[in-house]
Amino acid sequence: MNITYKNCRLACLFAFYTFAFLLTEITVNMRAAVLWSESSVLGVYAGGLVCTGSGYIVYTFVQRNITNEKYRKFALLMASIVATMGIGVLLFTSGTIAIPAGWLALFCMGFLAAAIYYYMSCALLNNNYTGRIIGISMFLAVVLQYAVMNFFKGEILILMVLSLSVAGICSLIWNPLGDWCFEDALPYEQNPPTVPQAGIVAAIMVALMTFGFAFSDECVTFLDSKGELNVAAWPRLFYGAGLLIAGYLVDIGKRRYIYMITGIAFSLALLSPALLVPKFYNASMSVMYLYSGFYVMFLTTAFFDVAPKTAEPWLWAGMGRIVRSFTTAAVIFSADLVMSRFGIWGVIFANALATIGILLLVAYVNEQRRQAETKKLVKENEIRIARMDAVAKEELELAVSVVRQEALKAEERAQQRFDMAQSTARKALMELEEARNALDNSRAQVQALQESQDKAPKLQNFAELHELTPREKEVLELILSKEGTGKELAKELLISERVFQRYLTSIYDKTGTNSRIGLILYYYGQ
């Protein structure tokens, strides 16, 4: 992996958040078993999921309706403070307010997560190491959570650790690497979709995996509340291992095979419930945590790749978490009924249905990708053939025109020599010079035509080489073809001068230049 300052900061930010969220979620469930009852844990868990998903949605509302940067910062600061206070109330009170305070903390965690996911998706656009960055950061968070839950005892220590994590999150958000954390990101293209097809397919994939995973998750949560197993025991480390392995695997081919890899890994869901007997609890949890790492990796990275190319990236960046939260909350009670009535076989059947649906969806995605690639190749060949035909036709027409003109001129010269015998030599020399000039002009026209035809492929190749977005490519084309101030050029693109300068700065960063003259010289020097 390319170890850069940017990638390290992003990994730290995501690790801080993941650790804080995991520790908060498990603390809420543990306190519910102590303060209320073992049977209430599933309801508390479902309520926490709804609160977390609602936090994501409320952040979307804030992003849509509040454009002032100071107010957006204030909202994140208040969410951090309320989350810390809610955890404190959860840990140090025993009244009816304790669990609702935990839910409020999870709501604020969801709000903070939405901002982090939005920021990460923009910062990791076109990054070849997205999966590895997410996998490493979440692996470290899981290991840290395991250490805190098993080796550090006491509510005060847990509150201190969570407070430090929330403070670290605020610090990294408050000093972002780009301006899109508090200001809307530059659109990927002129008219980005509001509801992308890739996002809908990914959401269906997450819903199917959540349906299957919820049954095993319900069993483990219930058994943990009864004290028959411990979700914070050593099998928890397999969750971190699954995330780490998944992060490296999904990055293959720029996450081209993410659906296939996730579908194959999720087939382990068929094995996990079969081991839910007392002597195999640890083995079952290890298998469940291993494939859940691939599940969580998908619902994170799949939407990170989709979100920046939509009209509302702040919504789609966390869509995987939104779908996961509400689907789990909806399924978990039915999972309890299935488990109580049909036992392990009911869970196995539910996981089998989910796995079949996932594999069918993976086959559909692969077929859609194959068709898209075929269409792309066919279109490229058609464009190439049409371009070659156009060039050949123009060259033929130009040659015929030149020959016709030369023939007419030769006929005129012959007639003039016949009619004006005395001035034949002088006029013949003059006409020969004119013919040479006409030929030079024709050649210059042909050369200019060829240069204009080569300009578009050069611009496209340059944009692909430096991973320019379609909108950045339009800005570059205007700079190369016209002169003028930033305000004048921005007016031609129908955007503000500030947005034009942001596009220009992004192009400078991607090409390694720092001025328009340097950019133009660099482009024609390629």
Side-chain angles (χ1 to χ4, degrees):
M1 187 179 75
N2 187 18
I3 301 177
T4 63
Y5 173 72
K6 174 182 177 181
N7 289 343
C8 289
R9 280 199 62 181
L10 293 173
C12 289
L13 173 63
F14 210 72
F16 276 135
Y17 165 72
T18 304
F19 166 72
F21 173 74
L22 292 176
L23 192 56
T24 301
E25 186 178 51
I26 198 170
T27 302
V28 171
N29 294 339
M30 292 173 64
R31 292 290 289 170
V34 173
L35 299 177
W36 288 3
S37 66
E38 296 174 355
S39 59
S40 69
V41 172
L42 288 180
V44 171
Y45 179 43
L49 290 169
V50 171
C51 290
T52 303
S54 299
Y56 281 88
I57 295 174
V58 170
Y59 177 80
T60 298
F61 175 82
V62 170
Q63 198 72 16
R64 284 176 181 169
N65 296 280
I66 299 178
T67 58
N68 187 287
E69 180 179 330
K70 292 182 180 180
Y71 291 154
R72 288 179 174 179
K73 286 185 177 181
F74 178 75
L76 289 174
L77 178 61
M78 290 302 300
S80 304
I81 295 173
V82 173
T84 305
M85 294 175 61
I87 296 167
V89 173
L90 173 69
L91 290 172
F92 296 104
T93 63
S94 57
T96 56
I97 195 176
I99 300 304
W103 284 338
L104 180 60
L106 286 173
F107 171 83
C108 294
M109 284 292 182
F111 187 88
L112 287 172
I116 293 169
Y117 275 52
Y118 168 47
Y119 171 52
M120 294 282 290
S121 68
C122 292
L124 292 173
L125 177 62
N126 295 325
N127 193 315
N128 295 335
Y129 307 103
T130 298
R132 276 164 277 190
I133 292 172
I134 299 302
I136 291 172
S137 60
M138 296 187 80
F139 169 77
L140 294 175
V142 171
V143 172
L144 185 58
Q145 182 208 16
Y146 173 79
V148 170
M149 297 302 296
N150 288 276
F151 302 110
F152 298 92
K153 304 297 182 180
E155 288 80 1
I156 295 178
L157 182 60
I158 292 177
L159 180 61
M160 288 177 59
V161 171
L162 284 172
S163 299
L164 289 174
S165 299
V166 173
I169 293 169
C170 291
S171 175
L172 291 171
I173 291 180
W174 225 256
N175 299 287
L177 295 171
D179 60 359
W180 48 77
C181 190
F182 299 110
E183 187 174 351
D184 295 345
L186 292 171
Y188 183 78
E189 55 188 356
Q190 187 171 4
N191 296 306
T194 302
V195 183
Q197 182 180 0
I200 296 298
V201 174
I204 295 173
M205 180 77 166
V206 172
L208 289 172
M209 289 191 293
T210 303
F211 174 79
F213 181 75
F215 283 83
S216 299
D217 193 24
E218 183 273 336
C219 295
V220 171
T221 302
F222 181 71
L223 291 172
D224 177 69
S225 68
K226 295 175 62 178
E228 295 184 19
L229 55 79
N230 181 11
V231 295
W234 61 264
R236 182 74 174 179
L237 295 175
F238 277 85
Y239 180 42
L243 288 163
L244 189 62
I245 295 170
Y248 277 85
L249 290 180
V250 300
D251 273 344
I252 296 175
K254 291 187 176 181
R255 293 170 293 286
R256 173 187 175 87
Y257 306 104
I258 185 172
Y259 279 86
M260 182 173 64
I261 291 170
T262 306
I264 293 172
F266 197 82
S267 61
L268 290 172
L270 296 173
L271 179 62
S272 177
L275 298 174
L276 276 176
V277 291
K279 64 178 180 179
F280 293 131
Y281 276 165
N282 286 335
S284 176
M285 288 173 60
S286 300
V287 173
M288 186 190 76
Y289 281 136
L290 186 63
Y291 74 74
S292 67
F294 285 81
Y295 159 54
V296 173
M297 181 57 62
F298 178 90
L299 66 84
T300 303
T301 56
F303 290 96
F304 277 11
D305 290 337
V306 171
K309 302 176 183 179
T310 67
E312 294 186 313
W314 48 82
L315 170 63
W316 285 98
M319 184 59 71
R321 282 288 176 181
I322 295 174
V323 174
R324 183 255 177 187
S325 296
F326 288 104
T327 303
T328 302
V331 172
I332 198 167
F333 290 107
S334 60
D336 184 38
L337 294 175
V338 171
M339 183 67 180
S340 61
R341 183 170 182 179
F342 300 103
I344 298 300
W345 289 108
V347 179
I348 293 175
F349 181 73
N351 282 333
L353 286 179
T355 303
I356 292 171
I358 289 167
L359 294 178
L360 290 174
L361 185 62
V362 169
Y364 167 78
V365 170
N366 289 336
E367 177 62 20
Q368 290 295 109
R369 181 181 291 112
R370 186 192 65 79
Q371 292 180 5
E373 291 176 350
T374 301
K375 290 180 180 179
K376 182 179 179 181
L377 289 175
V378 170
K379 186 175 181 180
E380 289 177 351
N381 289 333
E382 289 176 350
I383 293 174
R384 189 180 298 110
I385 293 172
R387 187 181 295 119
M388 293 173 62
D389 289 344
V391 171
K393 183 178 180 181
E394 290 176 359
E395 290 179 348
L396 179 61
E397 291 177 352
L398 184 60
V400 170
S401 176
V402 171
V403 170
R404 184 180 293 113
Q405 290 176 9
E406 292 299 321
L408 291 174
K409 290 179 180 180
E411 183 179 354
E412 290 177 2
R413 288 195 296 269
Q415 185 64 37
Q416 289 173 359
R417 284 195 299 270
F418 179 78
D419 294 337
M420 303 175 65
Q422 294 180 355
S423 60
T424 298
R426 183 180 300 171
K427 290 183 179 180
L429 291 174
M430 293 175 62
E431 290 172 356
L432 182 59
E433 185 65 26
E434 291 177 359
R436 287 176 180 174
N437 291 336
L439 184 59
D440 289 341
N441 291 335
S442 299
R443 289 173 178 170
Q445 293 175 0
V446 172
Q447 183 177 1
L449 180 62
Q450 291 175 345
E451 289 177 353
S452 65
Q453 293 169 349
D454 292 339
K455 181 179 179 182
K458 176 178 177 64
L459 180 61
Q460 180 66 28
N461 293 336
F462 184 88
E464 292 176 355
L465 177 63
H466 295 283
E467 297 183 346
L468 301 183
T469 67
R471 194 60 167 165
E472 290 170 348
K473 177 184 170 186
E474 294 177 13
V475 174
L476 175 60
E477 185 177 8
L478 182 63
I479 292 172
L480 295 174
S481 61
K482 293 187 178 181
E483 296 181 356
T485 64
K487 184 175 182 180
E488 293 170 346
L489 297 179
K491 187 175 181 181
E492 290 215 19
L493 290 173
L494 303 179
I495 58 178
S496 68
E497 184 179 3
R498 171 175 170 78
V499 174
F500 176 84
Q501 291 298 332
R502 290 174 62 201
Y503 275 117
L504 197 56
T505 301
S506 179
I507 296 172
Y508 290 161
D509 291 341
K510 292 181 178 180
T511 58
T513 59
N514 55 17
S515 67
R516 285 169 62 179
I517 295 177
L519 176 61
I520 294 171
L521 293 175
Y522 177 68
Y523 174 85
Y524 286 108
Q526 288 284 304

